[in-house]
Amino acid sequence: GFVLARLQRVVESFQVLTAALRLAEDRQNENRFWNIRRQVVKDEEFRIRALAHIHNVLGLLMRDVDRIDEAIFHYTESRKLWETIGNATNVGTISANLAVVYWKTLNEPDSALLFARKAASIFLQEGDENILGGVYTIIGASYAAKHNDSLAVVYLYNAIALNQKYD
């Protein structure tokens, strides 16, 4: 579904993703997944991870086709699922995806800041500094939209430095 979405084969992507969503939502399929990490990740968590990934990709797809309410729904579902299994890095990633929607598409800097700050906090805590450049860009642009130029400049310069550091 993700590959089809990136290839702009939207209808096929949506069909594959909704079929995958139906499979992953059915708890009876927990023991039917091909879980090669069974020793580390139990079947229930594996199903929840799959479900979270599917919702995230549906969020990306819906954002790409300007179905913003549906994008927010799928991102929110994905975020809840990652929180359920305690995967902070993916909670941060989905928070950043939500921040992008509120910043770029809806022009709601306060909401963008809420999600971007959450993502930044998680990435700092988890030591995922390489992702912070993009998040700091959203924070800086959101402060600029709110006419808080001093904070905008601080975050944008930090974004530039991190983006250069991690190429």
Side-chain angles (χ1 to χ4, degrees), residues 35 37 41 100:
N35 183 358
R37 298 184 61 217
V41 180
V100 168

Side-chain angles (χ1 to χ4, degrees), residues 114-125:
L114 176 77
F115 288 108
R117 282 191 199 123
K118 175 70 173 173
S121 172
I122 290 169
F123 294 143
L124 285 168
Q125 185 177 359

Side-chain angles (χ1 to χ4, degrees), residues 132-159:
L132 277 174
V135 175
Y136 282 172
T137 300
I138 297 165
I139 294 172
S142 296
Y143 278 126
K146 292 169 59 74
H147 307 290
N148 188 336
D149 295 338
S150 59
L151 279 176
V153 167
V154 168
Y155 277 97
L156 291 172
Y157 274 119
N158 282 326

